[in-house]
Amino acid sequence: MASSTPPTLTTSKPYQNHHIQGIQNHHRRTANGHNPHHPSPKVSLHPPPPKTSTANKPPVPATAAPYRNPNFAPLSASKSELAADFSGRRSTRFVSKMHFGRPKANGSSKHSVVAEDALHQLIRCSGDDRLIDSVLLGFQSKLCGSDDYNFLFRELGNRNESSMAIQCFEFAVTRERRRTEQGKLASSMISVLGRLGKVELAKKVFETAVSEGYGNTVYAYSALISAYAKSGLCDEAIKVFDTMKLANLKPNLVTYNALIDACGKGGADFKRASDIFDDMLNNGFQPDRITYNSLLAVCSGGGLWETAMNLFNEMSYRGIDPDIYTYNTLLDVASSGGHMDSAFRIMAEMPTKNIMPNEVTYSTVIRGCARSGRLDQALSLVNEMKYAGIRLDRVSYNNLLAIYASLGRFEEALNVVKEMESTGFRKDVVTYNALLDGFGKQGRYDKVKDLFKRMKTEKVPANLLTYSTLISVYLKGGLYQEATEMYKEFKQEGLKADVVFYSEIIDSLCKKGFVESSALLLDEMTRKGIQPNVVTYNSIINAFGQSTDTGFTVENEQEIKCLPSVIPEGDADKKLDNRDEDRIIKVFEQLAAGKLSIVEKASKGRKEIICVLGVFRKMHELEIKPNVVTFSAILNACSRCSSFEEASLLLEELRLFDNQVYGVAHGLLMGYRENVWVHALSLFDEVKRMDSSTASAFYNALTDMLWHFGQKRGAQLVVLEGKRRQVWENTWSDSCLDLHLMSSGAARAMVHAWLLNICSIVYEGHELPSLLSILTGWGKHSKVVGDCALKRAIEALLSGMGSPFRVATTNIGRFISPGAMVAAWMRESTSIPNLLILQDDRAYPETPRLNHPHLQPLSL
DNA sequence: ATAGGGTTAG
């Protein structure tokens, strides 16, 4: 396929990033691979045949077992890497997920009773180094070897006495003569520190051990790798691994497993993990269950559902039985990617394999349900869980109350809190943050203030998240005074802002229309050494053209410049240094004082595009990789442009970021549909690998943009392709059309196609169902300003055609008409089909050379 | 050496 690339797709790029290489690589592979392209993009107005999914069935091994079964999707498949790259999962996720000090599951500790004695005596002399040494001296002869010391290190660590643990370690290691025993002590100490998240201390112990001559063991290296893994420091773990090879030590299975684990916890691309896996195979190691479980965890971070399924199948092919970890991790991949039907199927399969779902299983799937809006299912799972005799733990409770709180169902949320407390769990910071967020989003500022006070009286310390939640709640509510107070308190507490903190403030300001102030903070965070990420940028790009009541001016124009790169570097630096200011405070105080006010609309548009282009420039400078959300945002921004010229400035950004996406968007926009359709299809293949809301958002953005600029037929083709791929998970039947997940452009294109289909039923002399209905919901998925109420757009469309559809009295998001009336309307006028058939404003004849046989014109 | 929780874009 696609060997002759049209010129639009080969334009050179300002910088080659992995993403673009990923796409190219991917295409090379799939072109020869086992996963042939969609056979025919022939457009039909009829619903596609039900998708026959093979993803869930284990492939049948072709012949006698090869070393690696070629039937399985290659582990090093670049498509996985691409999907991970493209989907824009948050990179900070794993750090926030860590919980250190989780007690070890296997309770078979090999320590002696004496060790427990020693522990208690040691704890009593906390803080007195000499006393500690004398206690240790007293026990020296009675403690038996590394098992006892391991116990001491771990227990002291769990009691927040890691410096005492290290003292014990030093005591033991200096009195130990045997190298191997010293080595064991060191590995044990390293892994204890690692588990506590004290990776720097672990590293120190390791380095000392190496220089003293007892640390050069595969165990010490593996322990350090694992320590980095637990802190999500994948790069560091890999560095240790490389050093290990240089030191002529052979990694073992545990080393490899720890390294793969590091990839998962560090949010690395799947490619990295699979390279390690390949290296492992090449060195003659057979992967075990933990290897696969760790690989599955990498999929979870990258949202790689297909890859996870392949791995799961590959496991059974190798005869490795899944365990509860396998299932829970697999469920995590499914649930976090929105594949809830698969999640339920897998969960139902567990008991048949004699693996019973536990509280982790349930909370994983419940969370997935909640995220994909399946509230009823989430709640019935909670009941199922209770019925099965699985007690809710802290995570489950917090999970559940967060679901209620986020829906504004506070009574139920508070009931969960009560139940949680009656079970013996006190409210923790997670509980409070969820409640604050929930009440805040509903504008219940009285409750927010109340809760925050309660938090203090109950001595639950507020953390970074608490403050960032509060600040953005107040900003979005226009309570600038309160936002300022919270920010001041946050600084007083000595908490450090991070990228998420800034991003949230930036987003809140954007949502209030203060795009330029946001750009200012973007500038400041960079200077303070906090790297903005793609989410930060996407917030600002999304804000482009979103009109709000509030514009932006400053009393002193010189004071604020939104285009950091335009200011000569030196000047800008000097400005900041001279004042040593905190711009957040400055912006907040201006807001509170009402000094940021409305600006003339015409000049606002111009200012904004300059500002956003400056933001793009900085994104390039920092080499921040855009993701599909960025692309959707750019396309949505195009839809908000009033002129083609303005839109092309934005499209140019798309081109600089990604030629394939640009090629498709631009090609369809310009009417080169026939030439780019093959590329469009392969782009849609990529998009379909993402979670469903990401995928539908992209389709929505692309169709809105095409529709906005008059390429209605192109928009329709995209929509039909999306429908074929079940992007919107919606129904299309002869009696009902469900548009509720679609943007207004996509929905309108869809309505045309659907009515045309109805028309053909009528013209063929068949009877229509007695009632036809079109569901719109509330149209929150369209980003086109002034066009954003899907319902209104559809209403206008339907009435404009003189159709008999009317809003249902029982459901304002639904248009209905008796089938007979629709049939009468269609028969009445011969011009209906012409009304329904969409045309592109710009269309070019097909280039004969690229005339693909499957690109036939749409026919009735 | 392996599993679930709270924060940012859509």
Side-chain angles (χ1 to χ4, degrees):
Chain A
M1 60 167 244
S3 53
S4 56
T5 313
T8 47
L9 295 175
T10 54
T11 324
S12 64
K13 303 164 262 292
Y15 55 83
Q16 282 278 347
N17 61 28
H18 299 298
H19 171 57
I20 289 163
Q21 285 161 358
I23 284 188
Q24 289 162 348
N25 194 18
H26 164 62
H27 289 151
R28 184 170 47 73
R29 293 239 193 176
T30 47
N32 316 326
H34 51 275
N35 184 14
H37 205 265
H38 286 273
S40 162
K42 186 173 168 184
V43 177
S44 155
L45 287 184
H46 295 280
K51 215 169 157 187
T52 51
S53 170
T54 53
N56 306 333
K57 292 168 196 145
V60 182
T63 50
Y67 188 50
R68 297 276 312 273
N69 182 355
N71 280 335
F72 295 117
L75 277 185
S76 50
S78 53
K79 75 172 181 190
S80 310
E81 181 203 5
L82 175 68
D85 244 14
F86 204 32
S87 68
R89 303 233 150 219
R90 31 178 184 269
S91 53
T92 50
R93 179 174 168 216
F94 296 91
V95 180
S96 68
K97 252 187 163 180
M98 295 184 301
H99 10 121
F100 297 115
R102 176 196 281 259
K104 278 193 99 173
N106 59 343
S108 63
S109 190
K110 285 177 278 181
H111 65 275
S112 64
V113 193
V114 185
E116 297 190 19
D117 237 20
L119 175 67
H120 294 126
Q121 291 205 22
L122 283 170
I123 290 164
R124 256 177 268 143
C125 37
S126 172
D128 189 333
D129 289 3
R130 253 189 260 162
L131 221 54
I132 291 166
D133 266 6
S134 70
V135 171
L136 287 169
L137 273 170
F139 277 97
Q140 191 186 353
S141 56
K142 284 172 270 177
L143 290 172
C144 34
S146 47
D147 283 340
D148 277 350
Y149 281 108
N150 184 23
F151 168 81
L152 280 183
F153 302 161
R154 195 179 65 224
E155 291 304 317
L156 288 170
N158 286 345
R159 288 165 174 77
N160 213 7
E161 295 278 8
S162 43
S163 66
M164 201 199 292
I166 291 176
Q167 196 183 339
C168 288
F169 165 71
E170 282 166 352
F171 177 90
V173 87
T174 48
R175 281 158 186 81
E176 177 61 65
R177 294 285 155 78
R178 295 161 296 182
R179 280 253 163 123
T180 48
E181 288 304 305
Q182 288 178 313
K184 276 189 197 172
L185 288 168
S187 311
S188 156
M189 190 68 237
I190 292 165
S191 80
V192 164
L193 291 170
R195 209 169 294 136
L196 294 169
K198 311 208 166 179
V199 69
E200 282 309 312
L201 282 175
K203 189 183 170 212
K204 266 190 199 148
V205 171
F206 172 81
E207 280 168 351
T208 314
V210 170
S211 66
E212 299 288 324
Y214 54 87
N216 248 324
T217 70
V218 61
Y219 307 106
Y221 275 94
S222 301
L224 186 61
I225 288 171
S226 170
Y228 279 121
K230 292 209 168 66
S231 290
L233 299 168
C234 167
D235 293 333
E236 298 302 316
I238 291 174
K239 268 185 220 154
V240 175
F241 183 71
D242 293 338
T243 329
M244 177 177 180
K245 285 185 164 171
L246 290 177
N248 262 331
L249 281 167
K250 292 260 174 289
N252 62 22
L253 183 61
V254 174
T255 322
Y256 279 110
N257 287 349
L259 203 55
I260 293 172
D261 181 41
C263 293
K265 297 220 168 60
D269 286 346
F270 186 78
K271 175 81 165 50
R272 290 182 91 173
S274 95
D275 284 348
I276 293 163
F277 185 88
D278 291 342
D279 186 47
M280 174 177 165
L281 294 177
N282 291 335
N283 284 300
F285 290 102
Q286 289 297 329
D288 66 357
R289 183 184 294 137
I290 293 178
T291 318
Y292 276 101
N293 289 351
S294 302
L295 273 173
L296 284 171
V298 182
C299 298
S300 168
L304 306 172
W305 172 236
E306 282 178 34
T307 311
M309 267 331 284
N310 285 329
L311 284 169
F312 188 72
N313 291 332
E314 189 171 315
M315 272 179 90
S316 81
Y317 176 79
R318 283 184 187 269
I320 302 169
D321 290 330
D323 63 0
I324 184 77
Y325 290 79
T326 317
Y327 274 109
N328 287 347
T329 313
L330 190 65
L331 284 170
D332 188 44
V333 189
S335 301
S336 55
H339 307 276
M340 292 318 297
D341 293 332
S342 302
F344 277 105
R345 194 181 38 72
I346 293 162
M347 202 170 157
E349 175 190 303
M350 290 174 67
T352 71
K353 299 278 169 72
N354 244 336
I355 295 167
M356 300 317 280
N358 62 11
E359 67 280 8
V360 177
T361 319
Y362 275 99
S363 65
T364 305
V365 179
I366 288 168
R367 199 174 159 63
C369 286
R371 258 195 299 233
S372 53
R374 304 179 180 215
L375 184 69
D376 294 345
Q377 276 176 315
L379 298 181
S380 79
L381 276 175
V382 175
N383 287 329
E384 187 182 308
M385 184 177 176
K386 288 178 174 169
Y387 187 75
I390 300 165
R391 301 184 59 161
L392 276 75
D393 62 1
R394 178 178 291 285
V395 174
S396 310
Y397 277 119
N398 277 334
N399 214 350
L400 183 58
L401 77 89
I403 292 173
Y404 284 124
S406 67
L407 293 168
R409 292 167 62 166
F410 300 117
E411 200 172 319
E412 283 137 312
L414 294 173
N415 282 336
V416 175
V417 174
K418 270 186 205 151
E419 187 182 321
M420 178 178 170
E421 288 180 316
S422 74
T423 325
F425 298 106
R426 312 269 316 254
K427 291 197 283 292
D428 62 9
V429 65
V430 178
T431 318
Y432 273 109
N433 289 349
L435 293 172
L436 287 169
D437 189 55
F439 280 109
K441 288 220 168 87
Q442 301 286 324
R444 304 273 301 272
Y445 306 112
D446 51 332
K447 290 296 282 181
V448 170
K449 289 174 186 173
D450 203 45
L451 273 167
F452 189 55
K453 266 185 214 146
R454 284 253 301 273
M455 215 173 157
K456 286 178 171 164
T457 55
E458 289 182 18
K459 300 222 175 336
V460 177
N463 63 15
L464 180 62
L465 250 106
T466 318
Y467 285 105
S468 84
T469 302
L470 285 167
I471 292 169
S472 70
V473 156
Y474 288 139
L475 282 182
K476 284 176 183 155
L479 283 77
Y480 302 124
Q481 193 58 51
E482 281 83 349
T484 313
E485 275 167 32
M486 284 303 117
Y487 182 68
K488 283 180 178 163
E489 191 175 316
F490 158 80
K491 289 201 80 171
Q492 237 161 39
E493 294 289 324
L495 292 164
K496 292 296 263 183
D498 66 358
V499 55
V500 179
F501 185 88
Y502 265 101
S503 300
E504 203 167 1
I505 293 177
I506 284 172
D507 184 58
S508 304
L509 291 174
C510 282
K511 294 231 156 65
K512 298 297 280 184
F514 304 109
V515 180
E516 298 179 64
S517 303
S518 301
L520 211 63
L521 295 187
L522 184 71
D523 194 27
E524 177 180 72
M525 68 187 280
T526 319
R527 278 173 213 278
K528 291 194 169 167
I530 301 165
Q531 277 272 325
N533 61 24
V534 65
V535 178
T536 326
Y537 282 98
N538 288 346
S539 279
I540 301 180
I541 298 166
N542 271 311
F544 174 82
Q546 305 265 28
S547 77
T548 41
D549 307 329
T550 41
F552 175 76
T553 60
V554 200
E555 294 201 326
N556 175 6
E557 272 277 340
Q558 289 302 317
E559 205 165 47
I560 293 173
K561 289 252 195 278
C562 70
L563 241 181
S565 311
V566 159
I567 306 169
E569 277 299 311
D571 277 10
D573 284 342
K574 229 181 288 163
K575 266 188 185 176
L576 193 75
D577 291 347
N578 287 345
R579 287 195 248 144
D580 192 29
E581 63 185 356
D582 183 326
R583 283 185 176 180
I584 292 183
I585 278 286
K586 202 149 176 75
V587 170
F588 282 12
E589 281 174 346
Q590 279 181 318
L591 284 170
K595 284 187 183 168
L596 301 185
S597 55
I598 295 160
V599 79
E600 202 186 321
K601 225 178 179 173
S603 80
K604 183 179 171 234
R606 203 198 80 246
K607 276 176 103 170
E608 230 177 46
I609 197 155
I610 292 169
C611 182
V612 168
L613 291 176
V615 166
F616 275 126
R617 190 183 314 173
K618 195 150 179 193
M619 197 169 166
H620 289 293
E621 278 168 13
L622 296 176
E623 295 195 20
I624 302 216
K625 281 199 287 181
N627 59 26
V628 67
V629 181
T630 320
F631 301 151
S632 300
I634 294 174
L635 292 172
N636 280 322
C638 290
S639 303
R640 292 186 215 107
C641 290
S642 43
S643 72
F644 224 84
E645 289 66 35
E646 213 180 340
S648 62
L649 284 173
L650 296 169
L651 274 181
E652 179 63 10
E653 285 304 324
L654 190 57
R655 186 183 70 80
L656 295 177
F657 281 137
D658 187 293
N659 257 310
Q660 190 193 16
V661 181
Y662 168 79
V664 170
H666 179 260
L668 293 175
L669 182 61
M670 300 313 290
Y672 301 118
R673 189 203 313 141
E674 320 296 352
N675 292 355
V676 299
W677 194 246
V678 172
H679 300 279
L681 290 173
S682 75
L683 176 65
F684 296 154
D685 284 344
E686 316 259 356
V687 172
K688 189 58 201 174
R689 283 197 199 92
M690 287 146 209
D691 64 276
S692 54
S693 67
T694 303
S696 59
F698 181 79
Y699 274 87
N700 283 339
L702 180 59
T703 14
D704 265 355
M705 192 271 290
L706 293 172
W707 190 274
H708 179 70
F709 285 110
Q711 297 301 83
K712 300 185 173 174
R713 177 76 177 108
Q716 189 173 56
L717 288 179
V718 172
V719 165
L720 290 172
E721 192 56 36
K723 174 176 87 78
R724 200 173 73 75
R725 292 160 189 257
Q726 303 184 318
V727 165
W728 289 282
E729 304 163 12
N730 48 1
T731 34
W732 159 309
S733 71
D734 289 348
S735 62
C736 183
L737 177 66
D738 179 358
L739 305 168
H740 83 281
L741 291 174
M742 307 183 89
S743 64
S744 66
R748 281 179 285 183
M750 192 72 143
V751 167
H752 279 85
W754 186 72
L755 287 175
L756 207 48
N757 178 54
I758 299 291
C759 206
S760 70
I761 295 172
V762 172
Y763 286 12
E764 282 162 19
H766 301 299
E767 200 157 311
L768 291 179
S770 61
L771 188 73
L772 303 189
S773 58
I774 299 173
L775 280 151
T776 62
W778 286 267
K780 58 177 178 174
H781 297 276
S782 174
K783 293 291 163 290
V784 186
V785 169
D787 219 0
C788 59
L790 173 64
K791 193 195 140 198
R792 269 184 285 134
I794 298 303
E795 190 164 27
L797 180 75
L798 291 172
S799 65
M801 290 193 271
S803 85
F805 283 93
R806 299 291 177 265
V807 179
T809 46
T810 50
N811 178 351
I812 57 155
R814 184 185 199 108
F815 295 94
I816 51 171
S817 169
M821 279 177 75
V822 173
W825 165 60
M826 286 177 166
R827 284 206 203 87
E828 197 174 277
S829 161
T830 49
S831 66
I832 299 287
N834 282 338
L835 262 178
L836 293 174
I837 291 171
L838 295 171
Q839 306 287 344
D840 283 345
D841 282 357
R842 283 166 301 283
Y844 294 86
E846 280 183 41
T847 317
R849 186 172 53 86
L850 291 168
N851 186 359
H852 299 285
H854 50 254
L855 284 173
Q856 283 151 10
L858 184 77
S859 58
L860 248 180

